[in-house]
Amino acid sequence: MARGKLRIYLGAAPGVGKTYAMLSEAHRRVERGTDAVVAFVEHHGRPRTEVMLHGLEPIQRRELEYRGTVFTEMDVDAVLERAPAVALVDELAHTNVPGSRNGKRWQDIEELLEAGIDVISTVNIQHLESLGDVVESITGVRQRETVPDEVVRRADQIELVDMSPQAIRRRMAHGNIYQSDKVDAALSNYFRPGNLTALRELALLWVADRVDEYLQEYRAEHSIRSTWQARERIVVGLTGGPEGRTLIRRAARMAAKGSGSEVLAVYIARSDGLTSASPKELAVQRKLVEDLGGTFHHVIGDDIPSALLDFARGVNATQIVLGSSRRKAWQYIFGPGVGATVARESGPDLDVHIVTHDEVAKGRGLPVARGARLGRTRIIGGWLVGVVGPVLLSLLLTGIGNGPGLANDVLLFLFLTVVAALLGGQLPALASAAVGSLLLNFYFTPPTHTLTVSDPKNIVAIVVFFAVAVSVASVVDLAARRTHQAARLRAESEILSFLAGSVLRGETTLDALLERVRETFGMETVALLERAGDVEPWTCAGRAGSDHGTPLLRPEDADVDMPVGDHMALALTGRVLPAEDRRVLAAFAAQAAVVLDRQRLVGEAERARALAEGNRIRTALLAAVSHDLRTPLAGIKASVTSLRSDDVAWSPEDEAELLAGIEAGADRLDHLVGNLLDMSRLQTGTVTPLIRETDLDEVVPMALGGVPEDSVTLDIPEELPIVAVDPGLLERAVANLVENAVKYSPDGAAVLVSASALGDRVELRIADRGPGVPDSAKDRIFEPFQRYGDAPRGAGVGLGLAVARGFAEAMGGTLAAEDTPGGGMTMVLTLRAVPGGPQVMPDLPAQATT
């Protein structure tokens, strides 16, 4: 049975019309004769969405009881038994009630698809798992219901349901999304214009990336090599030299001129050992391009121009940015250079920009890290010069006539021997010396065209030529090898020095270190594998690069593996490394093990710190429960026992006094439990303020209900700016501060609550005339379960100030303690003022847009 097709309506926020669009599509299909059913659609009380359900066949939902409440979920078995052609399943990221067939709704949909049923579903961009942190940083709300990105990417069709932030807010204001009692809170919190704009951009970019994937698949399937300029993609060719930073910044400025442009920096390394660029400089350039919003790529290729053009066409690039050559003028005799070659072979679909920089014509210098082994091209060239070169030289000299003389002939053949040694090493040079000796004897030493020599002087000349040629070849080959070895050692020392420094400074994570290994050795994939025992399976602790569909599961599957201890190995794929590269690789492997251990120790230390903090709070909570909570309970118990006693006839006045004691004890318990719950919310990070524009004179008076009327003097000017706060949190914070100040104030000394504006802030000051707190204890009094001097007056477990500071910081404010002039302590609560004073909301249109 063929797998069903999945169509997803993707929206940026609730209320954009995803469910409405899904139901509209269902009606169109039903009109065409398609068998479509409603497996699960939630209309959320929206009348227009509810109307769209009419005329569609619903599948009875399954009822589940959880914690005393009955919930309804999609009945997968009923849908499979009905076997429609198309099933409508709303809210792809929904988490099913415990006891359901699957934990997530997208898993239910997978069963329907496997049964050959087409599914139409909906999801919001904020529910994609990879965007959870981004959405939380924008909206301040963590999405607890998420769906893996791969589930959405596998959809056969994704349709974006888009709507401007202004239109969404108008729909919200008219009650088309939420009930009227939730509109104000939603508009001032999650549905702010900035939030909606950012979420809309996330949705558009995510769908654009998906479109790019479709485009790449289509081009690959149809073998399309030419560039389709759907949007600007700028490839920056890097050599590892200092000019790379200039090229990256120039490309970023070019990309900034067009919306949606991308910058892709690429470094192309040869495949003969360590890369020829400074790893430190490449790391700096990588960080720079990533900071500017681009991506860094590492490609292996011996033909630099061809590899660069292949990469550019592979990513559908439209422009290439290269730097002017650093070669000196005489070095152009070896070829036109990378820039000229790329410009000549780029064709009409790629624009090539040559950018000048400070390093132009200053010379490239010697390669920093090329291996001692000579490449195949140089060896072939050495043999051609050493063997074919003397033959061609002999033909040239014999055609001249008398020729330049035997001495000059010997020098010319000696020159070819030196060139053969420089190109191909010792063996081509020795062959050149042997061939040259024979040709000198046969063509240029009397009697010619024979291998005999009549003049002893000529015999000495040929012997000396051969000896000098062999000596020169040996010296040149040895010098070349020593130069390459020195360059390799220099490169190794630079790599190891930079690696050790970055690790010691704590700048390298495991993924970054493995990426450094991949770039340094020019590999495709690098993975750190480990296992618990000799017979246990290998697991991947970290990886870098692309597996190309074949994940690396064992060190034996890799091209290179470097053991690290008994149960860990560094595995690399791409090519086989020479023996001399394994020394540096061993250092990388050891560092990778150290970084992994350090990351795990950091995680364990963080968990231990959290456990220690939890234990400290639990210990303090138990101490508070054992004393502060039992005290009012004991008073309540005594009063109730007295009232129920039949031995004593209580007067109405005595009964009233006992009842008043019970009420006071209950109030005290309510206050203590409220603070404990607030502290628990702060500790778990579940306090989510609903920020609104609020007048202080509306909130502060309400916070004084728990203290005697004559114990507080209020001074709140009417002309104060409006503050951006959560009124409920502000009231709780001020109430705790005032109660704490009244508790420590002497009898007859009222607490002063005043407010003033200071720039873009508003300060609320609660001043008492109590004993005060020394400077060394001012920060400690805001910690949970802390009471200055451990001798409090009245009720309390030391949470009031901690809760007040937590609420203040949750609203974006601060709370600090200062000395009151003349004695006492002043709590200063600083809040953010709304810019421009009070804001008036514009009149909303009479009709909501749909």
Side-chain angles (χ1 to χ4, degrees):
M1 180 182 295
R3 177 181 170 88
K5 296 183 180 298
L6 175 61
R7 177 171 182 169
I8 294 177
Y9 286 93
L10 176 68
V16 295
K18 304 178 303 301
T19 305
Y20 192 93
M22 177 180 67
L23 295 174
S24 299
E25 174 64 19
H27 279 286
R28 286 192 292 271
R29 296 197 181 195
V30 169
E31 291 173 0
R32 294 196 300 264
T34 304
D35 182 17
V37 300
V38 177
F40 190 99
V41 171
E42 189 64 64
H43 57 75
H44 297 290
R46 299 167 187 170
R48 298 193 179 188
T49 304
E50 188 175 1
V51 168
M52 292 296 294
L53 288 170
H54 298 165
L56 298 176
E57 177 188 350
I59 298 294
Q60 185 68 32
R61 300 183 185 182
R62 181 185 179 190
E63 293 185 351
L64 296 169
E65 184 176 353
Y66 179 66
R67 293 183 177 180
T69 305
V70 177
F71 299 89
T72 60
E73 295 288 358
M74 180 175 67
D75 193 337
V76 179
D77 291 327
V79 179
L80 293 175
E81 183 179 354
R82 171 65 174 76
V86 179
L88 309 183
V89 184
D90 206 3
E91 299 178 358
L92 179 67
H94 172 74
T95 301
N96 292 332
V97 175
S100 300
R101 183 190 189 100
N102 296 301
K104 302 287 290 187
R105 184 163 293 166
W106 64 263
Q107 295 170 329
D108 295 338
I109 292 177
E110 283 294 319
E111 291 194 35
L112 302 182
L113 294 174
E114 290 295 333
I117 301 174
D118 293 345
V119 176
I120 305 178
S121 187
T122 64
V123 71
N124 284 328
I125 191 68
Q126 65 264 29
H127 293 295
L128 295 183
E129 199 167 75
S130 66
L131 300 177
D133 294 338
V134 179
V135 173
E136 183 179 12
S137 65
I138 294 171
T139 65
V141 178
R142 183 68 181 186
Q143 297 295 333
R144 303 192 181 278
E145 291 190 330
T146 59
V147 58
D149 290 42
E150 186 58 28
V151 173
V152 183
R153 288 183 179 275
R154 286 201 306 262
D156 299 276
Q157 187 174 352
I158 300 174
E159 183 170 335
L160 178 65
V161 183
D162 191 23
M163 182 177 289
S164 68
Q166 294 78 12
I168 297 177
R169 286 173 61 85
R170 283 196 298 268
R171 295 191 66 191
M172 174 70 70
H174 287 278
N176 291 339
I177 300 177
Y178 292 155
Q179 298 297 325
S180 58
D181 58 338
K182 299 181 180 180
V183 170
D184 290 340
L187 288 175
S188 60
N189 188 43
Y190 193 89
F191 285 80
R192 290 176 295 185
N195 289 0
L196 296 175
T197 302
L199 292 173
R200 186 188 191 196
E201 183 178 11
L202 279 179
L204 291 171
L205 291 176
W206 196 90
V207 173
D209 289 338
R210 180 60 175 153
V211 173
D212 277 345
E213 293 178 11
Y214 282 129
L215 179 61
Q216 295 297 342
E217 293 174 3
Y218 181 85
R219 284 163 51 83
E221 291 174 358
H222 294 78
S223 301
I224 299 174
R225 299 280 297 169
S226 61
T227 299
W228 288 3
Q229 298 185 5
R231 62 171 169 172
E232 294 293 337
R233 285 189 175 89
I234 305 173
V235 171
V236 184
L238 302 178
T239 65
E243 76 281 359
R245 306 181 198 182
T246 302
L247 303 183
I248 293 171
R249 294 189 181 96
R250 181 71 178 88
R253 291 196 299 271
M254 294 169 58
K257 296 178 180 178
S259 178
S261 300
E262 295 183 40
V263 175
L264 302 91
V266 57
Y267 171 73
I268 300 175
R270 298 184 185 274
S271 59
D272 56 351
L274 297 176
T275 58
S276 59
S278 167
K280 181 177 181 180
E281 181 62 31
L282 277 181
V284 172
Q285 294 178 13
R286 181 192 188 101
K287 185 176 185 304
L288 176 61
V289 70
E290 290 175 350
D291 289 343
L292 293 174
T295 56
F296 184 91
H297 303 268
H298 192 279
V299 177
I300 306 300
D302 291 325
D303 188 344
I304 305 298
S306 297
L308 181 60
L309 289 171
D310 289 341
F311 174 83
R313 293 191 176 105
V315 299
N316 202 28
T318 58
Q319 302 180 59
I320 298 178
V321 175
L322 299 172
S324 298
S325 178
R326 287 186 285 135
R327 295 189 298 176
K328 295 184 179 296
W330 62 270
Q331 291 178 309
Y332 281 95
I333 62 175
F334 298 108
V338 174
T341 304
V342 170
R344 183 181 66 247
E345 299 179 1
S346 62
D349 54 348
L350 274 173
D351 297 334
V352 180
H353 304 266
I354 305 297
V355 179
T356 59
H357 49 83
D358 294 336
E359 304 297 322
V360 174
K362 291 186 177 180
R364 297 180 59 87
L366 293 174
V368 177
R370 291 293 303 279
R373 296 173 292 108
L374 297 174
R376 177 181 298 181
T377 303
R378 289 188 58 177
I379 293 176
I380 294 176
W383 281 102
L384 289 176
V385 172
V387 177
V388 179
V391 175
L392 297 177
L393 180 62
S394 299
L395 295 176
L396 177 64
L397 294 176
T398 54
I400 295 178
N402 294 330
L406 182 60
N408 293 325
D409 294 340
V410 171
L411 292 177
L412 290 174
F413 278 95
L414 183 62
F415 173 75
L416 290 179
T417 302
V418 172
V419 173
L422 290 172
L423 290 177
Q426 190 172 17
L427 291 179
L430 293 178
S432 177
V435 173
S437 300
L438 293 175
L439 293 176
L440 282 172
N441 184 10
F442 190 82
Y443 286 106
F444 305 105
T445 304
T448 58
H449 300 96
T450 65
L451 294 179
T452 59
V453 181
S454 59
D455 190 348
K457 295 180 180 180
N458 293 335
I459 296 177
V460 173
I462 294 176
V463 171
V464 170
F465 161 75
F466 185 79
V468 171
V470 172
S471 301
V472 169
S474 300
V475 171
V476 170
D477 179 71
L478 180 62
R481 290 180 180 274
R482 292 291 183 264
T483 300
H484 286 328
Q485 290 173 1
R488 168 171 288 277
L489 292 175
R490 175 186 171 188
E492 291 180 1
S493 63
E494 184 176 351
I495 292 170
L496 295 176
S497 174
F498 181 71
L499 171 65
S502 61
V503 171
L504 290 175
R505 291 190 300 269
E507 298 175 354
T508 303
T509 63
L510 180 61
D511 292 340
L513 181 62
L514 296 180
E515 183 64 25
R516 181 76 50 77
V517 175
R518 190 183 73 84
E519 294 176 0
T520 300
F521 295 97
M523 307 300 285
E524 293 180 358
T525 306
V526 178
L528 183 62
L529 305 177
E530 62 176 351
R531 59 182 178 180
D534 294 334
V535 296
E536 298 294 329
W538 291 92
T539 59
C540 182
R543 63 178 299 281
S546 174
D547 287 329
H548 299 294
T550 56
L552 192 58
L553 301 178
R554 300 182 305 166
E556 296 81 5
D557 299 333
D559 295 320
V560 181
D561 68 288
M562 176 61 64
V564 187
D566 296 331
H567 303 118
M568 188 176 293
L570 190 65
L572 302 88
T573 60
R575 62 188 177 87
V576 178
L577 287 180
E580 57 266 26
D581 282 355
R582 294 183 66 88
R583 181 172 61 253
V584 179
L585 183 61
F588 273 106
Q591 292 286 18
V594 171
V595 170
L596 179 61
D597 289 341
R598 185 174 62 190
Q599 288 184 353
R600 289 174 174 172
L601 289 174
V602 169
E604 292 176 1
E606 182 64 24
R607 288 191 292 271
R609 187 199 64 77
L611 290 174
E613 178 67 16
N615 287 333
R616 186 185 71 81
I617 292 179
R618 280 191 291 270
T619 302
L621 177 59
L622 289 174
V625 170
S626 65
H627 178 268
D628 295 279
L629 294 183
R630 292 183 64 183
T631 299
L633 282 175
I636 294 173
K637 176 67 175 177
S639 299
V640 172
T641 302
S642 299
L643 288 173
R644 295 187 61 187
S645 175
D646 297 331
D647 301 334
V648 181
W650 300 102
S651 65
E653 293 79 9
D654 293 334
E655 290 183 357
E657 184 177 352
L658 290 173
L659 290 174
I662 294 174
E663 183 179 9
D667 291 339
R668 182 177 174 185
L669 277 177
D670 180 70
H671 179 78
L672 294 176
V673 172
N675 274 339
L676 288 173
L677 292 176
D678 289 338
M679 197 67 241
S680 175
R681 292 169 59 202
L682 290 170
Q683 291 289 338
T684 56
T686 57
V687 175
T688 303
L690 298 177
I691 305 298
R692 299 178 60 183
E693 299 174 4
T694 308
D695 285 324
L696 280 182
D697 56 4
E698 296 178 358
V699 177
V700 175
M702 299 173 59
L704 307 182
V707 296
E709 294 182 1
D710 58 349
S711 62
V712 177
T713 301
L714 196 59
D715 182 16
I716 307 294
E718 294 182 358
E719 63 274 9
L720 277 179
I722 294 176
V723 293
V725 296
D726 182 317
L729 297 184
L730 178 60
E731 181 182 345
R732 293 295 303 275
V734 174
N736 281 347
L737 294 175
V738 172
E739 291 175 7
N740 183 79
V742 171
K743 180 171 58 178
Y744 284 95
S745 293
D747 296 335
V751 172
L752 175 62
V753 179
S754 61
S756 60
L758 184 63
D760 59 348
R761 297 167 297 163
V762 173
E763 287 187 351
L764 184 66
R765 308 174 75 87
I766 298 94
D768 63 58
R769 292 295 179 179
V773 174
D775 293 339
S776 58
K778 280 187 171 62
D779 286 333
R780 194 168 65 250
I781 61 176
F782 292 103
E783 297 179 2
F785 304 102
Q786 294 294 320
R787 294 171 293 190
Y788 178 61
D790 285 333
R793 297 173 54 191
V797 293
L799 286 176
L801 296 182
V803 170
R805 172 173 275 189
F807 284 171
E809 293 177 349
M811 295 183 294
T814 60
L815 178 61
E818 298 179 356
D819 292 331
T820 302
M825 186 172 62
T826 299
M827 291 293 175
V828 182
L829 177 59
T830 304
L831 304 171
R832 293 181 292 111
V834 175
Q839 297 182 0
V840 180
M841 294 297 295
D843 293 333
L844 297 174
Q847 297 181 351
T849 58
T850 57

